[in-house]
Amino acid sequence: MSAGDLSSTPPDPAEIEVAMLGPGYGESILIHTGDGEWVVVDSFLNPDRRPSALAYLERLGYDPATAIKLIVATHWHDDHIRGIGTLVESGRSARFCCAGTLRRLEFLSMIEGFRAQGSRAAGFGTREIFSVFAHLGQVGVSPLWATASRRIHRSPRCDVWSLSPDDEAYTSFLKSLAPLSDPKPERVFALPTPNQLSVALLVRFEGGVSCLLGADLEQRGWTAVLSDDRKPRCRSSVFKVPHHGSANAHLEGVWDKLLEPEPFAILAPWRRGGGSLPRKGDVNRILARTPNAYATTKAAPGAAPRDRWVKKRLRAVNARLRPESGATGIIRLRRSMTGESSWRVKLFGSACHLEEFAA
Amino acid sequence: MAQIGLTATNPETDSNAGMRTSPSPPQPPAVLPGVSGGGRLSGTMARNEGPNGELANGALSASRDGEANVEGASNGAIRNGPPVVRPEIPECYPEHSPSFFPKQEWAGRVTAIDNGSFDARLRDLADGGREVATIDLEEVSSEDRARIRVGSLFHWVMGYETVNGTRSNVSRVVFLDPPRLTRRDLERGRRWAEWLHERWGSE
């Protein structure tokens, strides 16, 4: 995103801002919780390899070292976690939060094992997680461990609750780690998809406004959230649609019970070689629930410049390539904490209304 | 197809851990067992140089960009075969035969497999550019096709080969074996994990 694209006016002290950033592969959400304090959820890298959240805050005139109060890694998928180590080291007054399941000795042993094997073996974003944990070990500050219905952050104007992962996801995760107690040379170790361990968040502000951030939590996880009586009772007016709008993360009950009618739904599309999310059906389903739906990017990035001979060969072997990510788009929602009826939406860069999204 | 053992050491092993000075966590050894023997390349190439003549170890350090590879939206991505560890895109060049001239090389990692093709994340070995791709399984040898899994690492090269004066175009995908954690890896990891718990206390 070019410098001229983004307003550099920071929110007022009593103004809430929810900014969702995404380049087509990767997402990061920044929330102004009042009085110049920010919560950052997930991270991706700008083309200059700097975390997009840091660049965003600096552009608004904030010092990340003091402005960021909470950093949440919802899970360790690559499109959510790139650069989070740098973010944690830069946000010196922030606490770091991730799924409580990651505190297990078995998991920690595993990520050190992969790191030690060298970069070829360090999968699942474990290198970023390792980097964060190593830093927090050095400074002697424990992460905040997210579980179902736990308040993980409190400020004068806001509190933040983790709604997941639930006990069943935790148990499943433990089972997946069992082979680590007896590694065999012929065994290929597999971890479950971390989507099941995603940290969904509820952010509540003074004045009764709240936002539901769905991470990549899928249907089973949402079923657990809905049946959990311990969570705060409120309906949110902003919904970060889980798992890039995918059908496997959609539950009608979430829209019916946890959200206001026609909430502001925001999502970051996800693209890989053969497909992308959301699909056409996902777009239609979301638009049927709310006209206030937005995506951080509207189309697949264009093809990379390439040697003519190589282009010809690619055609000959029927291979389809495209850049991993395109231009960053930003969906920005702002409203005052009290006395204003709705959110003001502003789109920057490649962000668009979901109707314009080319699924 | 011949199995060629890679012997590259990894400069990242001791430098990117995020570990600093006191209090010191348990330190890993300088050269780790999983690096030298952990990645076998199946292929028939013979010269230890990249496209610009650089040695394999130089290529390793040239591509240290700090990424951590994870497949987002992975549910539903595993469409064929059991799940495996999903390592990041490999940072090594294969060996090429003297008669082969590479024009384009990528390191890749499989993200999904369908009936006739697979999806992958790629890194251009010349400039580090990231792309995603859908590649026909026909590009893969029948032997490799049987063992391809989500998470498999591979090297994809396009170029031309001159044999007896005849030049032919080549597109070749070769797969590396997946990494495996050893008991020793885990014991070292356990010491680090216990150190972390000690530092973090009971919170």
Side-chain angles (χ1 to χ4, degrees):
Chain A
M1 157 159 290
S2 71
D5 289 336
L6 178 61
S7 163
S8 56
T9 310
D12 292 336
E15 198 170 35
I16 307 167
E17 173 175 324
V18 178
M20 182 167 202
L21 288 56
Y25 186 89
E27 64 181 65
S28 184
I29 299 172
L30 296 95
I31 302 168
H32 180 242
T33 60
D35 305 317
E37 297 187 351
W38 291 79
V39 171
V40 180
V41 181
D42 291 336
S43 175
F44 70 90
L45 296 172
N46 281 342
D48 63 2
R49 314 300 294 172
R50 190 162 162 70
S52 57
L54 290 181
Y56 185 82
L57 288 176
E58 285 165 357
R59 179 151 179 76
L60 291 180
Y62 293 98
D63 176 4
T66 54
I68 305 174
K69 299 301 178 191
L70 176 68
I71 298 167
V72 181
T74 61
H75 60 301
W76 66 93
H77 268 151
D78 198 22
D79 56 329
H80 291 256
I81 204 168
R82 282 185 182 178
I84 205 127
T86 306
L87 197 57
V88 169
E89 290 190 33
S90 302
R92 288 194 289 277
S93 54
R95 293 295 301 271
F96 172 76
C97 174
C98 61
T101 41
L102 307 193
R103 190 177 196 274
R104 295 290 304 190
L105 282 173
E106 295 91 334
F107 178 79
L108 297 171
S109 306
M110 182 199 70
I111 63 171
E112 210 297 314
F114 280 142
R115 183 208 64 83
Q117 281 198 354
S119 60
R120 267 186 287 154
F124 274 100
T126 51
R127 187 157 67 181
E128 285 284 354
I129 287 284
F130 177 90
S131 162
V132 171
F133 284 175
H135 172 73
L136 295 178
Q138 291 289 349
V139 297
V141 177
S142 171
L144 296 165
W145 303 110
T147 58
S149 297
R150 180 180 188 197
R151 185 163 59 199
I152 55 172
H153 177 73
R154 191 173 197 175
S155 71
R157 293 173 182 266
C158 146
D159 60 11
V160 181
W161 290 72
S162 59
L163 303 181
S164 62
D166 67 302
D167 290 347
E168 190 179 328
Y170 186 74
T171 305
S172 166
F173 181 67
L174 288 187
K175 281 182 187 166
S176 76
L177 295 177
L180 289 175
S181 61
D182 183 25
K184 292 181 169 61
E186 72 279 10
R187 175 176 282 158
V188 178
F189 173 70
L191 272 177
T193 169
N195 285 352
Q196 306 294 358
L197 300 170
S198 277
V199 179
L201 298 168
L202 177 66
V203 187
R204 299 189 311 168
F205 300 92
E206 70 175 15
V209 177
S210 67
C211 304
L212 181 61
L213 308 180
D216 276 4
L217 192 64
E218 297 174 4
Q219 284 170 339
R220 202 212 55 74
W222 284 111
T223 303
V225 170
L226 285 169
S227 63
D228 190 339
D229 293 333
R230 299 167 301 166
K231 67 180 177 298
R233 291 180 180 278
C234 61
R235 287 175 184 265
S236 296
S237 54
V238 171
F239 183 35
K240 185 284 193 188
V241 182
H243 201 214
H244 318 281
S246 166
N248 68 6
H250 175 81
L251 266 194
E252 289 291 320
V254 172
W255 293 79
D256 292 337
K257 295 176 182 170
L258 303 183
L259 300 170
E260 290 180 0
E262 300 190 347
F264 284 79
I266 56 176
L267 65 86
W270 177 91
R271 300 177 193 282
R272 66 170 187 237
S276 66
L277 293 172
R279 299 191 175 96
K280 187 72 182 164
D282 302 325
V283 169
N284 292 339
R285 187 188 64 246
I286 294 165
L287 289 173
R289 297 298 311 222
T290 178
N292 308 310
Y294 302 89
T296 54
T297 54
K298 68 176 71 169
R306 199 180 303 287
D307 179 275
R308 230 172 80 185
W309 185 92
V310 175
K311 274 192 209 170
K312 200 170 157 187
R313 291 302 308 153
L314 285 170
R315 277 198 300 274
V317 301
N318 193 31
R320 283 92 59 198
L321 274 69
R322 60 186 180 213
E324 193 172 79
S325 55
T328 296
I330 299 175
I331 306 163
R332 193 187 74 187
L333 306 174
R334 282 183 179 175
R335 67 178 291 170
S336 72
M337 290 194 191
T338 55
E340 192 179 338
S341 62
S342 190
W343 295 89
R344 303 187 307 278
V345 184
K346 198 153 187 180
L347 305 176
F348 301 96
S350 56
C352 65
H353 192 280
L354 197 56
E355 278 177 348
E356 300 169 52
F357 178 75
Chain B
M1 190 171 280
Q3 298 288 317
I4 301 170
L6 295 175
T7 55
T9 56
N10 192 329
E12 292 191 342
T13 298
D14 295 320
S15 62
N16 77 336
M19 292 180 174
R20 295 177 189 78
T21 52
S22 178
S24 296
Q27 293 295 314
V31 178
L32 296 164
V35 173
S36 58
R40 287 182 303 162
L41 183 68
S42 64
T44 53
M45 301 172 175
R47 202 154 52 89
N48 193 24
E49 291 180 1
N52 302 312
E54 67 275 49
L55 295 175
N57 287 1
L60 285 170
S61 59
S63 51
R64 291 171 54 193
D65 54 6
E67 91 287 11
N69 287 282
V70 173
E71 219 27 62
S74 71
N75 251 22
I78 301 171
R79 288 178 266 158
N80 188 15
V84 297
V85 169
R86 298 176 193 185
E88 72 179 29
I89 299 173
E91 297 180 345
C92 58
Y93 287 98
E95 298 167 348
H96 296 311
S97 75
S99 60
F100 181 74
F101 181 79
K103 290 276 286 180
Q104 172 82 49
E105 293 181 274
W106 295 273
R109 186 167 57 84
V110 176
T111 58
I113 305 164
D114 219 329
N115 288 331
S117 64
F118 66 92
D119 295 341
R121 292 185 57 224
L122 302 177
R123 181 174 56 231
D124 188 321
L125 289 181
D127 63 12
R130 301 309 178 101
E131 291 176 286
V132 286
T134 302
I135 302 168
D136 280 355
L137 280 169
E138 285 177 8
E139 289 301 298
V140 180
S141 72
S142 54
E143 185 182 307
D144 278 352
R145 218 177 293 169
R147 62 181 192 150
I148 182 172
R149 300 282 185 274
V150 170
S152 295
L153 305 175
F154 64 91
H155 177 267
W156 185 18
V157 61
M158 287 184 163
Y160 48 84
E161 194 150 35
T162 307
V163 179
N164 297 328
T166 305
R167 199 172 94 164
S168 55
N169 295 329
V170 173
S171 169
R172 186 180 291 149
V173 178
V174 288
F175 279 82
L176 293 97
D177 286 345
R180 290 172 169 81
L181 286 177
T182 64
R183 191 178 298 278
R184 191 175 159 190
D185 293 330
L186 290 169
E187 282 169 1
R188 180 181 42 234
R190 183 90 181 181
R191 290 196 294 277
W192 181 73
E194 287 169 349
W195 172 80
L196 275 184
H197 275 208
E198 192 182 306
R199 295 287 299 158
W200 289 342
S202 59
E203 185 174 353

